[in-house]
Amino acid sequence: MAKRRKIYLDYAATTPVDPGVTRAMLPYFSKKFGNAASLYSFGQEAKQALEKSRERVSNLMGAKPNEIIFTSSATESNNLALKGVALARRSLGGGGFANHIIISSIEHPCIMESAKWLESQGFEITRLPVDKYGLVDPKDVERAIKKGTILVSIIHASNETGTIQPIEEMGKICRRSGVYFHTDAVQSFGKIPIDVNKMNIDLLSASSHKMYGPKGVACLFIREGTKIEPILHGGGQESGLRSSTVNVPGIVGFAQACKITQKEMKKENKRLTKLRDKLIKGVLQKIEGAHLNGHPRKRLPNNANFWFEFVEGESMVIQLDLLGIAVSTGSACSSVKLEPSHVLLAIGLKREQAHGSLRLTLGRWTTEKEINYVLKVLPGIIKNLRKISPFKGGKHE
Amino acid sequence: MNKIGSYTKKVIKHFQKPHNYGRMKNPDGVGKVGNPICGDVMWLYIKVEKDKKGREVIKDIKFETFGCVAAIATSSVITDLAKEKTLEEATKIDREEIVKSLGGLPPIKVHCSILAAGALAEAIYDYLSKNKRKIPKKLQEKHQQIEKEKKEIKKKYKEWIEIEEKMHKK
């Protein structure tokens, strides 16, 4: 078999670990393996690495080190944020008054499902709509807040469309109303600047493996003084909020990833934005019936998401895969539930439109040559699939 | 490498180079089906001729499919299975035969093979009813089921279908 070209354009799904990150982690597996909770020097060595890592991660969002709790995944962070605050505030409310939570309709499934579970436990959930770009109107947040609202949780940048929310404004509204503001920043942290103080954020979730760190590590920023209950009980690690032996090598890797990105973010943003715009412009120009999903400017520098008329997403993904290009789709045919992406439906796409969606996300190792190759092969793939499709918009050869 | 994603090599082969795709001019029978759950749409056309023994045989068959890898592969393979078969034989082609001839399908994609079998049954039904012939009971039952699903699909793809139906009439 000829050597297959390999072009990875699914950095929003996960990223390869940066070699510098791997190097930083290695000593903490077998040499400096101590349990950070132990008193003797093995433990203290690990403890030191843990605290230094906490500082680095907190630095990248303008937080204090003691406001960072390490977890195992963004899903865990988001579960802790929603359930932890819900449980803590409910006990304050007394008599079930403080039980209202506001989220958007384009959250990641771990927020959607946590909210649904809380609903089943007697909490009231408001799901805010979005406009055609996937933007939540801060005024809607303001209008939805009422007596008994305890938390607003809005995703910072959409994992699907890449649209970036005006969270600074939402944060301000929440602060004014005395409501906690959480944001799921998994896709944006490490890619665009975040300042939890300037943006009035009380809780923020971020994940290591989306920014060239290892999988299995994430964090939750919890502003000092925020009332929150743990969901894991045990030895009382992480200030009692997340019992479990801490994953020192993973956390060291996460911190190193933060250090690298802090240094490179500005330059890398510029580079990726240029490549992304070339990709978007090229696709819209070269392919008839191609449409951009998400906001044209207010979007992550690495995200391009389209829908194509008359073709289906999984078919495109597999055709591209056969050419060595890895991308993703929000089509029903790729999901276990056979339902198209709730995010694409929320921005107003019809089912058949969401059916033909394709997400390409760029990253640290994406080159212009790779973008050129995609632009070269994608029009042909879509043309061929349209030849097979019964729908051609009335255009027949 | 025996599989690409969760698909067998045979599925991928049919998907990459589907057999007998495209629109047929003046077909003797057309089967239009859709899956209301996942949204796939399949149109299948047949030409029927009598063989030397006077039996009606599917002489030519073509399909058009809007759907995933499995939908396209099952469409392609059913045209192979049905070509040169008598109408009676073709009516017996079922989902098991389709899945088997593709070397298997991922469990979540088995519904695509039901869609393909339905498209063929509908095309034969269309031919028989156009020619005012007696329609076997099994085919009638299938047709009623498919009609129900078709209403759902028509709602979903109203605009796209209207454009193509106009083209059919030209």
Side-chain angles (χ1 to χ4, degrees):
Chain A
M1 206 168 147
K3 200 179 156 204
R4 266 182 82 196
R5 198 190 290 258
K6 280 222 165 99
I7 297 178
Y8 186 74
L9 289 172
D10 203 14
Y11 283 89
T14 191
T15 60
V17 176
D18 190 288
V21 169
T22 315
R23 272 198 301 278
M25 290 170 72
L26 280 176
Y28 293 92
F29 284 103
S30 302
K31 234 168 101 195
K32 306 180 182 180
F33 62 89
N35 186 326
S38 305
L39 293 175
Y40 44 75
S41 50
F42 282 101
Q44 290 314 300
E45 197 173 44
K47 172 92 178 150
Q48 256 178 28
L50 174 66
E51 294 317 321
K52 203 174 148 202
S53 300
R54 208 184 297 280
E55 209 179 311
R56 275 193 178 153
V57 174
S58 66
N59 244 329
L60 190 52
M61 58 176 95
K64 291 183 210 153
N66 66 348
E67 293 175 315
I68 300 292
I69 299 297
F70 288 111
T71 66
S72 68
S73 67
T75 295
E76 191 195 327
S77 296
N78 282 335
N79 270 266
L80 176 56
L82 260 68
K83 295 175 188 171
V85 166
L87 294 174
R89 296 301 293 261
R90 177 164 68 176
S91 54
L92 284 179
F97 285 108
N99 72 341
H100 179 228
I101 295 170
I102 301 166
I103 62 170
S104 82
S105 47
I106 57 158
E107 298 298 317
H108 187 277
C110 60
I111 294 278
M112 289 302 216
E113 292 301 315
S114 293
K116 206 162 124 193
W117 182 79
L118 284 168
E119 210 165 29
S120 77
Q121 300 300 307
F123 287 88
E124 185 194 346
I125 309 291
T126 298
R127 296 168 180 86
L128 297 177
V130 291
D131 67 9
K132 61 176 178 173
Y133 298 121
L135 283 168
V136 175
D137 186 346
K139 285 195 198 103
D140 281 348
V141 175
E142 192 156 25
R143 277 190 284 264
I145 292 176
K146 57 182 182 185
K147 197 180 163 218
T149 304
I150 50 179
L151 176 70
V152 172
S153 177
I154 307 285
I155 192 165
H156 186 197
S158 166
N159 51 310
E160 295 199 36
T161 64
T163 296
I164 301 167
Q165 301 295 340
I167 57 166
E168 195 174 330
E169 247 181 290
M170 297 173 188
K172 212 184 281 170
I173 291 164
C174 292
R175 183 63 51 85
R176 212 167 45 220
S177 319
V179 174
Y180 287 162
F181 180 52
H182 168 254
T183 186
D184 170 0
V186 167
Q187 292 292 338
S188 56
F189 184 64
K191 293 195 187 85
I192 55 176
I194 290 178
D195 185 324
V196 288
N197 295 318
K198 206 176 130 222
M199 294 171 156
N200 304 301
I201 298 164
D202 298 310
L203 302 112
L204 177 145
S205 306
S207 178
S208 151
H209 80 105
K210 307 283 191 192
M211 47 181 293
Y212 314 102
K215 294 171 183 60
V217 199
C219 73
L220 180 65
F221 155 77
I222 307 170
R223 182 172 294 286
E224 232 172 9
T226 304
K227 301 270 185 299
I228 185 164
E229 286 288 326
I231 49 177
L232 290 179
H233 301 89
Q237 288 90 341
E238 300 295 281
S239 313
L241 278 171
R242 207 267 180 177
S243 289
S244 288
T245 299
V246 286
N247 170 9
V248 175
I251 291 166
V252 167
F254 186 13
Q256 187 65 20
C258 289
K259 194 183 168 191
I260 296 171
T261 204
Q262 197 154 21
K263 217 170 69 197
E264 296 185 353
M265 194 192 290
K266 216 172 162 186
K267 209 173 77 195
E268 181 68 352
N269 258 1
K270 240 173 138 179
R271 187 184 79 89
L272 287 176
T273 303
K274 215 174 127 193
L275 286 180
R276 176 201 72 190
D277 288 344
K278 180 176 187 171
L279 177 64
I280 292 175
K281 208 173 140 198
V283 165
L284 296 181
Q285 258 172 15
K286 286 178 173 215
I287 303 170
E288 213 182 318
H291 308 264
L292 182 69
N293 291 326
H295 199 281
R297 291 180 322 280
K298 292 175 193 166
R299 70 187 303 132
L300 288 174
N302 75 323
N303 174 301
N305 190 325
F306 307 95
W307 74 268
F308 300 97
E309 294 170 10
F310 317 127
V311 290
E312 191 278 327
E314 194 219 34
S315 290
M316 291 188 269
V317 168
I318 299 294
Q319 286 288 15
L320 287 164
D321 187 35
L322 290 165
L323 295 172
I325 302 168
V327 301
S328 100
T329 173
S331 165
C333 276
S334 72
S335 86
V336 281
K337 285 184 265 170
L338 296 174
E339 280 288 330
S341 136
H342 69 284
V343 176
L344 297 178
L345 296 180
I347 63 171
L349 254 56
K350 293 181 190 159
R351 281 163 171 271
E352 72 267 25
Q353 296 171 334
H355 217 30
S357 72
L358 205 64
R359 182 190 73 180
L360 302 94
T361 43
L362 291 51
R364 193 169 283 168
W365 289 278
T366 305
T367 63
E368 188 164 12
K369 220 170 128 188
E370 291 178 338
I371 298 301
N372 289 340
Y373 184 64
V374 171
L375 287 174
K376 197 177 122 193
V377 298
L378 190 58
I381 287 174
I382 287 164
K383 198 176 156 201
N384 284 334
L385 287 171
R386 281 183 184 157
K387 271 189 202 162
I388 301 169
S389 173
F391 308 126
K392 297 166 171 74
K395 292 184 190 95
H396 293 265
E397 287 173 12
Chain B
M1 193 166 52
N2 284 317
K3 285 201 169 175
I4 296 195
S6 49
Y7 292 117
T8 64
K9 266 186 177 171
K10 256 192 179 161
V11 171
I12 293 294
K13 232 171 136 182
H14 275 280
F15 166 65
Q16 271 196 295
K17 286 208 164 76
H19 306 163
N20 308 305
Y21 71 84
R23 196 158 293 181
M24 185 187 282
K25 273 183 190 158
N26 310 314
D28 296 326
V30 184
K32 291 185 178 181
V33 295
N35 184 314
I37 302 161
C38 74
D40 287 349
V41 175
M42 200 176 285
W43 291 0
L44 195 132
Y45 313 86
I46 53 170
K47 261 218 183 334
V48 181
E49 278 175 26
K50 281 198 172 141
D51 68 1
K52 281 173 196 162
K53 289 178 191 160
R55 299 175 307 182
E56 289 171 301
V57 170
I58 296 180
K59 246 343 209 200
D60 197 10
I61 181 163
K62 281 196 160 185
F63 79 88
E64 291 181 301
T65 292
F66 168 64
C68 63
V69 174
I72 291 173
T74 50
S75 308
S76 169
V77 87
I78 203 171
T79 61
D80 284 353
L81 292 171
K83 212 169 184 174
E84 302 293 342
K85 293 260 165 68
T86 64
L87 292 186
E88 207 190 332
E89 287 165 344
T91 314
K92 284 183 193 145
I93 297 172
D94 60 4
R95 148 189 122 186
E96 280 84 14
E97 196 177 349
I98 298 168
V99 174
K100 211 175 131 202
S101 54
L102 285 168
L105 274 179
I108 193 158
K109 298 287 186 177
V110 168
H111 68 273
C112 296
S113 61
I114 303 170
L115 194 64
L120 179 62
E122 276 295 278
I124 296 170
Y125 179 95
D126 183 46
Y127 169 77
L128 293 175
S129 60
K130 263 186 201 160
N131 291 285
K132 303 207 166 55
R133 299 268 297 284
K134 195 172 166 262
I135 293 161
K137 199 171 162 234
K138 213 177 126 196
L139 213 51
Q140 259 178 24
E141 284 167 5
K142 237 185 197 171
H143 175 72
Q144 274 155 11
Q145 176 59 32
I146 288 165
E147 276 297 301
K148 258 194 242 156
E149 294 169 0
K150 236 167 133 174
K151 270 187 201 146
E152 293 280 313
I153 280 287
K154 274 214 164 149
K155 255 190 263 162
K156 273 184 198 164
Y157 296 96
K158 199 170 165 267
E159 285 164 40
W160 290 3
I161 289 174
E162 276 171 5
I163 292 171
E164 302 303 327
E165 306 242 282
K166 266 184 220 152
M167 296 296 298
H168 275 277
K169 281 173 194 149
K170 271 183 192 169

